[in-house]
Amino acid sequence: MASSDNRLRLVSDSDAHLRSVIAALEENRASLVEWANPEAARIVALAILQLQLRLHRIGDDELEALCEAMQARQAERARKAAELASKNNRLAGRYPRWPTLVE
């Protein structure tokens, strides 16, 4: 039982440490953005993401599945937007916005 308690405490301490590091990196990223250094800010943002993945115990397979689901959702949205635009273009051809005046 004591061994289990020690493991839980170590995990908790490790999680607290990761949260502290993430908070510090987020402050640094904000400073980089403020000082117009977007490339460095993006690199720090990647480090933050990596630590958050570790903190929340998200594996590569889970992350890949999430990315694929997001890409599929985005593709579906793009398809629907294209269909709507096509429909609007067809309707605009049939029903002009402003009536023409007949002389």
Side-chain angles (χ1 to χ4, degrees):
M1 185 74 167
S3 158
S4 176
D5 289 342
N6 286 339
R7 267 188 259 144
L8 288 176
R9 188 174 24 252
L10 286 174
V11 168
S12 177
D13 291 346
S14 176
D15 289 355
H17 180 71
L18 279 175
R19 283 187 186 91
S20 174
V21 170
I22 290 168
L25 286 171
E26 286 173 342
E27 289 178 15
N28 290 327
R29 187 195 63 75
S31 293
L32 289 167
V33 169
E34 185 178 316
W35 288 98
N37 197 338
E39 297 85 13
R42 281 193 290 274
I43 292 169
V44 173
L46 288 173
I48 292 168
L49 176 62
Q50 181 63 40
L51 292 175
Q52 288 172 332
L53 291 171
R54 179 178 289 176
L55 176 66
H56 297 292
R57 293 161 184 77
I58 298 172
D60 290 342
D61 292 340
E62 290 174 289
L63 182 59
E64 186 176 341
L66 173 65
C67 290
E68 288 172 358
M70 291 174 65
Q71 287 174 337
R73 186 175 181 186
Q74 182 63 31
E76 180 63 18
R77 285 182 177 169
R79 186 190 62 76
K80 286 181 179 180
E83 285 177 4
L84 184 60
S86 176
K87 183 178 179 180
N88 286 341
N89 287 339
R90 285 192 310 271
L91 289 175
R94 273 191 237 152
Y95 306 104
R97 223 178 221 181
W98 303 105
T100 55
L101 297 174
V102 179
E103 295 182 27

